[in-house]
Amino acid sequence: MCLHRFKLRSVFLIGFGIGFLFAIFLFTNQHLFCNNCQKSALNLYSTNKNSLFKWFMSDTWVNKEIIFQSWNKSTYSEWLNNKKLILNNIDMDIYLYGFEKKEELESNWLKSHVHITCAVFVKKIKLARAIQNTWGKHCNRIYFFGQLKDIKVPIINFEIKLVSSWQLLCEAFNYIWRNNETLEWLIFVKDDTLVILENLRYMLAPLNHTQDHYLGHAILLWGQPYNVANAGYVISMGVLKKLINMFDDSKKCIISGKYWKQEDYYLARHLASIGIYPSDTRDQYQRGTFHGYSLQSLLWGVVKTSAYWTHALYPIKNECCSFMSVTFNIEESEKMYTFSYLLHNFYVLKKKAVFGNRKVTTSISDEDIWKVALKEEFNITHLSNISSEMYYEIWHSKYSEPEQLIKNNYQIKDSESK
């Protein structure tokens, strides 16, 4: 059974990889197949046919700062200048394999200066575990809420009967308020969501968490603008404080919303009653940052038309995804691990590597390895007068045939296991 599952998973991963690379090939060479295709006027590489290829293989795009629509008067670079900090490019080859690491990565510094609390609403244990082992580690603190129990994931189950998903969200507000000493920013997502915390901190850094901020992908429905739960939404500590003042006990949470799967709508309606509305989180190219669909669907345009797009309060222009995107939908735990690896563990060294190709330094030279073997295997400590020929004779006297060495090792392992 395990072998069968392994074969199925291997076939899926190979097929996914081939399909992904083939899609990139088609997109980057679309000029070979279409003579009348129009390029996006807002495309960062609209003058070059191989735009997506440049996205993956070039550092050019990172040289232009991403600015968000709602707070372009206070940019990330200005915020850094106020902190009297300067960004410097580093050689990743040296950083990864060099002997001294004096540089501090920007993402690590931001984690200690922009505090984000993550709240995940759990419906599937496998997804909750995947989050705990992947992007959840990049939260300053993370809470799991739901009606399930698991030995590995500490899911918070409220010992009360829940009448609506809004009540669950409302109870989560109060729980976090009572149990978290450091509150600045909170992101609320479902368990099928991938969150890129590094990009979110970049977005939030110039903002004041004591003020009112309500971020996500906003749509307009029944005359009410609200950030949809499928894409996740962020509130500041200033907003949370006002919510707690409005709903500080379970009774108030119950009577303020009665339908399931409408918690995002209720939240926006209550915030609107005190003058708080969704912010525009698009970048300067009007590309979205909070996404309720998978990256594959967004890139290749297979997403079906829905209220998510047609009722968007801030319509996306021409391209789906900002380079500083924050959330994507992922329905399978295996994909959560895959994307997490690509984001945080996979490095592309685009120039000739030096340190990465060097032989790993060892404390024992090749000439002295046999001496260590004598000491560990035969407890011989006086090695100064033993030549390599004598070493061979000693070893051969114990193991005349290679099979004896293998057999002996298996006997040792069996005795240890017993």
Side-chain angles (χ1 to χ4, degrees):
M1 179 64 72
C2 293
L3 181 60
H4 178 65
R5 290 180 179 177
F6 176 77
K7 289 182 177 179
L8 289 177
R9 185 173 298 178
S10 300
V11 171
F12 167 77
L13 291 175
I14 294 172
F16 176 80
I18 294 174
F20 186 71
L21 292 174
F22 182 68
I24 292 176
F25 171 79
L26 288 179
F27 193 91
T28 55
N29 293 278
Q30 58 184 312
H31 59 287
L32 297 177
F33 306 96
C34 179
N35 295 324
N36 297 318
C37 298
Q38 292 183 348
K39 297 291 184 179
S40 165
L42 292 175
N43 191 327
L44 190 60
Y45 299 110
S46 59
T47 59
N48 193 300
K49 296 178 179 179
N50 293 332
S51 58
L52 187 61
F53 183 75
K54 278 200 169 185
W55 183 20
F56 285 98
M57 300 304 295
S58 175
D59 289 328
T60 305
W61 67 269
V62 300
N63 294 330
K64 192 174 182 67
E65 182 179 9
I66 299 297
I67 301 174
F68 302 101
Q69 293 288 326
S70 291
W71 49 95
N72 53 18
K73 293 182 180 179
S74 178
T75 65
Y76 179 75
S77 60
E78 291 173 347
W79 178 75
L80 285 179
N81 290 335
N82 293 333
K83 296 282 185 181
K84 300 187 183 304
L85 295 171
I86 300 176
L87 292 178
N88 293 314
N89 294 326
I90 64 173
D91 187 316
M92 285 304 296
D93 188 43
I94 296 176
Y95 179 81
L96 291 171
Y97 305 109
F99 299 106
E100 295 183 10
K101 295 183 179 180
K102 297 180 181 179
E103 302 89 352
E104 182 179 14
L105 289 183
E106 182 182 2
S107 58
N108 294 337
W109 185 87
L110 281 174
K111 184 176 182 180
S112 62
H113 288 78
V114 182
H115 192 285
I116 297 178
T117 298
C118 304
V120 182
F121 295 99
V122 180
K123 288 188 177 180
K124 295 182 180 180
I125 295 297
K126 285 185 67 176
L127 286 171
R129 290 183 178 182
I131 290 174
Q132 185 182 51
N133 295 326
T134 56
W135 65 259
K137 296 179 180 179
H138 299 268
C139 303
N140 293 93
R141 189 160 184 180
I142 187 169
Y143 297 92
F144 294 91
F145 297 99
Q147 297 175 296
L148 303 173
K149 293 183 179 180
D150 185 53
I151 59 174
K152 294 184 178 180
V153 180
I155 303 175
I156 299 167
N157 293 263
F158 297 111
E159 300 301 325
I160 55 176
K161 183 180 179 180
L162 297 172
V163 299
S164 68
S165 55
W166 159 254
Q167 184 190 356
L168 174 59
L169 177 61
C170 190
E171 297 287 354
F173 289 151
N174 284 278
Y175 185 93
I176 294 173
W177 180 262
R178 293 190 301 265
N179 291 276
N180 198 336
E181 297 179 356
T182 305
L183 284 174
E184 291 184 2
W185 299 96
L186 299 91
I187 181 169
F188 296 87
V189 297
K190 297 182 178 181
D191 59 1
D192 58 356
T193 306
L194 170 73
V195 182
I196 307 172
L197 273 301
E198 292 78 8
N199 288 354
L200 180 56
R201 290 191 175 94
Y202 176 94
M203 174 185 289
L204 299 176
L207 305 181
N208 187 339
H209 65 269
T210 63
Q211 297 177 351
D212 299 335
H213 295 287
Y214 173 41
L215 316 174
H217 176 83
I219 69 171
L220 186 65
L221 191 62
W222 303 324
Q224 176 63 58
Y226 70 97
N227 290 318
V228 294
N230 286 344
Y233 44 85
V234 175
I235 62 173
S236 61
M237 189 269 286
V239 171
L240 178 63
K241 187 175 181 180
K242 293 181 178 180
L243 285 169
I244 298 301
N245 291 335
M246 297 170 66
F247 311 104
D248 56 356
D249 59 42
S250 296
K251 184 177 180 180
K252 293 179 181 177
C253 290
I254 292 174
I255 63 176
S256 55
K258 61 180 180 179
Y259 297 110
W260 285 92
K261 297 183 180 180
Q262 297 294 333
E263 73 281 359
D264 47 5
Y265 175 82
Y266 283 120
L267 172 62
R269 195 173 73 176
H270 294 310
L271 291 179
S273 69
I274 55 176
I276 301 174
Y277 297 93
S279 298
D280 186 353
T281 57
R282 296 173 301 170
D283 64 18
Q284 71 263 46
Y285 304 101
Q286 300 186 41
R287 299 173 299 195
T289 53
F290 288 79
H291 309 288
Y293 292 95
S294 68
L295 177 60
Q296 301 97 305
S297 298
L298 292 165
L299 284 177
W300 316 130
V302 297
V303 178
K304 295 181 180 179
T305 302
S306 67
Y308 185 89
W309 302 113
T310 58
H311 293 183
L313 185 62
Y314 307 109
I316 306 302
K317 301 293 184 181
N318 300 305
E319 292 183 336
C320 78
C321 310
S322 170
F323 293 142
M324 281 295 171
S325 290
V326 174
T327 62
F328 292 101
N329 179 266
I330 294 184
E331 296 181 352
E332 300 174 19
S333 58
E334 291 82 2
K335 290 184 179 180
M336 193 81 74
Y337 286 103
T338 302
F339 276 94
S340 178
Y341 173 79
L342 292 174
L343 283 169
H344 300 108
N345 301 100
F346 186 79
Y347 298 98
V348 178
L349 303 178
K350 301 173 186 175
K351 62 180 182 179
K352 184 178 180 181
V354 177
F355 289 95
N357 290 330
R358 288 184 179 178
K359 186 177 180 181
V360 178
T361 57
T362 59
S363 58
I364 305 171
S365 63
D366 293 341
E367 293 78 10
D368 294 332
I369 290 178
W370 64 272
K371 295 181 180 179
V372 176
L374 282 177
K375 184 177 180 180
E376 294 179 352
E377 186 73 18
F378 303 101
N379 198 26
I380 298 175
T381 57
H382 302 287
L383 303 173
S384 57
N385 297 325
I386 299 178
S387 64
S388 58
E389 290 77 11
M390 294 175 64
Y391 158 74
Y392 174 79
E393 292 298 331
I394 294 172
W395 192 270
H396 190 267
S397 66
K398 185 173 183 180
Y399 304 110
S400 58
E401 300 294 337
E403 289 77 8
Q404 293 182 6
L405 176 60
I406 298 173
K407 182 179 179 181
N408 186 66
N409 286 336
Y410 274 112
Q411 290 175 348
I412 293 174
K413 291 179 181 179
D414 291 338
S415 62
E416 289 177 351
S417 62
K418 293 178 182 179

